[in-house]
Structures are given as structure tokens and as C-alpha cells.
Amino acid sequence: MKRTGDQKLMKELNRSIVLKTIRNSGSIYRGEIAKMNNLSPTTVASAISELIKEGIVEEIGMGLSSGGRRPIMVRISQRIKFMIGVSVTTTGLTIAEMNFEAKIKNKQVFQFGFNSKNGGDTLDFILDKIEQFTKQFDDLSSCIGISIISPGIVGVSKSMVTYSSKFWWTDIPLAQLIEDRVHLKAWVENDVNAIALAELYLGYHDHCDNLLYINTSFVGAGIILNGQIFRGHNGGSGEIGHMTIDKGGIPCDCGNKGCLEKYVGWPAIETRIMDAIAAGRQSKITELISGDLKELTPTIVRKAMEFYDQLTMEVITDVAEYFAAAIGNLVNILNPQVIVLYDEYGILPIVKDYVSKNALSPFTQSLEILPSFLGEDYQLLGAASVILQDVLHFNISS
């Protein structure tokens, strides 16, 4: 006899299979779902009935009868429910209304305009802008909730930022603060973890149980093991930016010295290039920014790479080798199927070459190292994936 826990897991697994099939198909008949997944019609009907009650799935019309009842087509609800995604960075936040296909309908961007290390001011700004955004809706009863992703360590309950060196936050109950302010359910997740989920569910890797997402901008890793985020004991896994690579080196915001992010993050790249140009080094960058070093951005660096600018190539090659060494270590520890790299500076070829030569060969023979294809709204897609994982149970392997 099956235990209650087994029955519950099977029910959630069937629900996940049904939802995944509907989402991938766009619209589909119940009977087709049953045939495609070798499920009984009763199982499919029960799952869809629950999903319709929850406003996640809707019926959209009837097909032709082949002798029995006319089949009814269903799809992910386009009208009944929506969600709000929020992405927080060190410079500001982006807020968007999104449907259950993670399609963005309305997006607004806000810049801090002050030092984000003033943690209290940053928190107040975030809460004020979220409240301001929600006031544009006459009726919030159709909103499933708000998902906010942020730098820092997020507890396993997805409600509290336990630590953020970027904002000097400690034990901030961010979900509760949002819920108290706007009276909507809130989820909180680490930014890189959330984007890893987006790569898994909204990218091209939903076949993959073990995925490693590396962000060269945030200098962090999102780790998917057995189809779920690996969080570690306190929710702090993936903080590769704080690997010590130079004992006694450059002081870091975390209080340590010689952390990886101080050598590969944008401030480090910017400083190296600006110091070299100020010292008289010739570079294509000078032309691209018309001599104004204040105009130096990651986009300019990427353009200079395309011109094979010598200074830029030297700096970015160093950055790539640091990243590659860190990724190679993670390959040896985690043995992922796929590594997805958010490649802000064009370092993918160097990383692939280093890992193939230096990581353990049994782990690299079938390893794929790929660029991200989520597009410019990848952070908002990460926020959406947190809700999709929880509400639609996409975290259950199917």
C-alpha cells in the first residue's frame, strides 16, 4: 500500500507533467495530454480541474466529436492570473507585470541615485517603488504574487535576505515587508539562483537535471542538482565571487581579502583599463569613448574586444582565466551536464578551452558549455521562474 507521502508526490508529479505538456503545446486537448504521457484520462481530468479552480489553466473551446463527448481544449490562463517580477541590482531595480508564460506586458526601470550601501535607504526605495507599481492596477485579486530577486544570501524559506554585502543587509525579512506593504504573496530569491531556474525552465535545458549557471556580471553561480536549486545548509551556495584566489590580496566588501570578484568584476576591469590609459597606454577604447573615461562601460569593452584591442584583450584574457579556473574546480566538484555562461565580455572560448584541458576528463567528455539565450530580460525571467517553480511545481522532475 502506498504511503500518503508517496501519493502526494505522485499527484504533484502528474500535475507537473500535465502543466509542462500544456505549456509546451500552447493549447491542447485533455485526451492528447493523457496519450502523450501515458496517463489515465481520470488523472489528467483531476489535475486540470484543480488547475482551472486555481486560475492557472483555462478552457478555450471544444473540438469535433469522434463519437463520444466533444473534446475541450485547454491552455495556461492568459486572462485570469498575472504575476509581478522584480529584479534588484546594485544600481537600481526593474519591475514588470508578467503572464504565466513569463511574457512581459509592462516594465519600469528605477535607478537608486544614491549609494546602495545605505541599506535602509535602499530597502525603503525598493518597497516604495513596488507599492507605486502595484497602484496602477484597479484589481490585484488576479495577481498571483510578487517575486523579487536580489544579490545576497537568501534563506531556504525564500522569504529573508540573510546577508548581502552589496547593500549591507543582515536578516532582512523582505518577503514579509513586501506583503505588509502591498498585501500580495511575495517570494524572495538570490538573483543567480533564480536565473539558473530560468535557464532550466524557460531556456533550452529542461531535459537537464544537473546544470551550472555562471554569471560574469554578478560573479556568481546558480547550481541545479537533480532538477532543483542546490542551496546549501543556509542558502548560501554558489557564492563563487568570494572564493579566495589571492590570500592577503585586495580587500572585499565581505571582509575577506583576495576574493575572485575583486579581480574579475566590472570595477576591477574598469580600474585596470582606466589606469593603463591614464598612464599613456594606446587603446581602441580611447577612440570609442571619445577620450572621456567616464563613458567606459562593459559594452565598450565588448566592442574593443571585437577590434582585438591589445589592452582589452590582455585584461579580459586574465579575467577569463580566473573564471575558467573557478569553473574548472566546480566541474570537478559537481560534475554538471550543462554549464550556461552569461558571457558579458566574450570569454566563452577561453573558458571552454581551459575547462576541456584542465578539468577531469570523465567530467568533460559530454559536458556542454553554452552561452545564455534568455535575452536582455533574463533577470525578470529569473524572477518569474521562482513563482513558476513554486506555483506550477516545475521543480519536480518530469
Side-chain angles (χ1 to χ4, degrees):
M1 186 171 77
K2 286 188 176 182
R3 296 172 297 178
T4 302
D6 294 334
Q7 293 172 339
K8 181 179 179 182
L9 178 61
M10 183 58 67
K11 184 177 180 180
E12 291 182 346
L13 178 59
N14 290 335
R15 171 189 168 110
S16 176
I17 292 170
V18 170
L19 272 168
K20 186 175 181 179
T21 304
I22 295 172
R23 177 176 171 269
N24 290 343
S25 302
S27 57
I28 191 171
Y29 296 115
R30 288 173 169 82
E32 292 176 337
I33 298 172
K35 290 178 182 177
M36 289 172 64
N37 298 289
N38 197 28
L39 296 173
S40 72
T42 301
T43 296
V44 172
S46 176
I48 290 177
S49 178
E50 287 187 6
L51 294 167
I52 289 174
K53 287 180 182 178
E54 294 174 25
I56 295 172
V57 167
E58 62 184 357
E59 297 177 340
I60 59 172
M62 303 185 75
L64 297 175
S65 172
S66 59
R69 290 183 178 179
R70 295 174 64 188
I72 301 174
M73 185 170 284
V74 294
R75 69 179 180 187
I76 299 294
S77 175
Q78 302 292 298
R79 301 177 293 104
I80 301 173
K81 298 286 187 180
F82 70 95
M83 53 188 169
I84 295 173
V86 183
S87 168
V88 178
T89 69
T90 55
T91 59
L93 69 155
T94 303
I95 310 177
E97 174 192 356
M98 311 174 77
N99 66 16
F100 265 18
E101 290 293 306
K103 298 293 190 297
I104 296 170
K105 298 178 65 177
N106 174 23
K107 180 173 70 173
Q108 296 180 17
V109 180
F110 305 96
Q111 299 298 321
F112 287 139
F114 54 85
N115 186 349
S116 63
K117 288 189 180 297
N118 295 325
D121 291 343
T122 301
L123 181 60
D124 289 341
F125 185 90
I126 291 168
L127 295 173
D128 288 345
K129 294 306 179 185
I130 291 174
E131 182 178 17
Q132 176 184 319
F133 187 87
T134 60
K135 285 183 176 179
Q136 67 185 293
F137 301 100
D138 294 329
D139 181 11
L140 284 172
S141 63
S142 295
C143 181
I144 197 71
I146 297 177
S147 172
I148 180 168
I149 68 171
S150 169
I153 297 172
V154 174
V156 294
S157 65
K158 293 185 288 186
S159 63
M160 178 176 289
V161 180
T162 58
Y163 175 74
S164 174
S165 62
K166 306 300 183 186
F167 305 133
W168 289 4
W169 286 349
T170 301
D171 293 335
I172 300 296
L174 189 53
Q176 187 63 55
L177 292 172
I178 293 171
E179 290 174 0
D180 291 344
R181 183 72 73 94
V182 300
H183 308 295
L184 289 170
K185 179 174 174 57
W187 290 260
V188 178
E189 183 58 275
N190 167 268
D191 47 10
V192 185
N193 280 347
I195 299 164
L197 281 180
E199 292 289 352
L200 187 66
Y201 302 131
L202 302 176
Y204 303 96
H205 311 293
D206 59 354
H207 65 287
C208 177
D209 290 329
N210 299 287
L211 178 146
L212 184 61
Y213 171 78
I214 305 290
N215 191 294
T216 63
S217 177
F218 302 158
V219 194
I223 304 167
I224 304 291
L225 294 181
N226 300 321
Q228 300 186 47
I229 293 175
F230 175 72
R231 300 180 181 279
H233 178 60
N234 293 317
S237 66
E239 291 287 341
I240 65 169
H242 296 289
M243 286 183 175
T244 300
I245 61 170
D246 182 12
K247 187 176 180 180
I250 302 170
C252 181
D253 295 337
C254 72
N256 195 9
K257 292 182 178 180
C259 289
L260 176 65
E261 71 173 35
K262 304 307 290 186
Y263 295 81
V264 303
W266 171 243
I269 295 170
E270 181 183 36
T271 298
R272 283 188 62 180
I273 292 174
M274 291 177 68
D275 287 351
I277 292 175
R281 182 78 180 269
Q282 297 298 308
S283 172
K284 181 69 175 179
I285 285 178
T286 305
E287 177 186 331
L288 293 172
I289 61 177
S290 300
D292 186 358
L293 290 176
K294 293 179 182 179
E295 298 299 317
L296 181 60
T297 65
T299 301
I300 294 295
V301 170
R302 186 69 179 255
K303 288 181 179 178
M305 286 282 288
E306 294 171 1
F307 285 102
Y308 297 97
D309 176 67
Q310 186 63 35
L311 170 61
T312 307
M313 294 291 289
E314 289 175 10
V315 172
I316 298 303
T317 297
D318 281 350
V319 167
E321 289 176 352
Y322 278 126
F323 262 117
I327 293 170
N329 288 335
L330 291 173
V331 169
N332 290 342
I333 294 169
L334 300 172
N335 185 23
Q337 294 167 264
V338 174
I339 296 175
V340 180
L341 185 69
Y342 178 79
D343 189 13
E344 191 166 25
Y345 307 110
I347 67 174
L348 184 62
I350 298 173
V351 169
K352 291 178 71 172
D353 182 64
Y354 181 97
V355 171
S356 68
K357 292 178 179 177
N358 293 283
L360 291 172
S361 58
F363 297 165
T364 61
Q365 289 174 359
S366 61
L367 175 66
E368 294 182 276
I369 303 179
L370 305 168
S372 173
F373 293 105
L374 290 179
E376 64 177 11
D377 290 317
Y378 69 100
Q379 291 159 289
L380 290 173
L381 294 180
S385 295
V386 174
I387 294 182
L388 293 176
Q389 179 199 41
D390 197 44
V391 176
L392 304 188
H393 297 283
F394 279 6
N395 58 318
I396 300 174
S397 179
S398 57

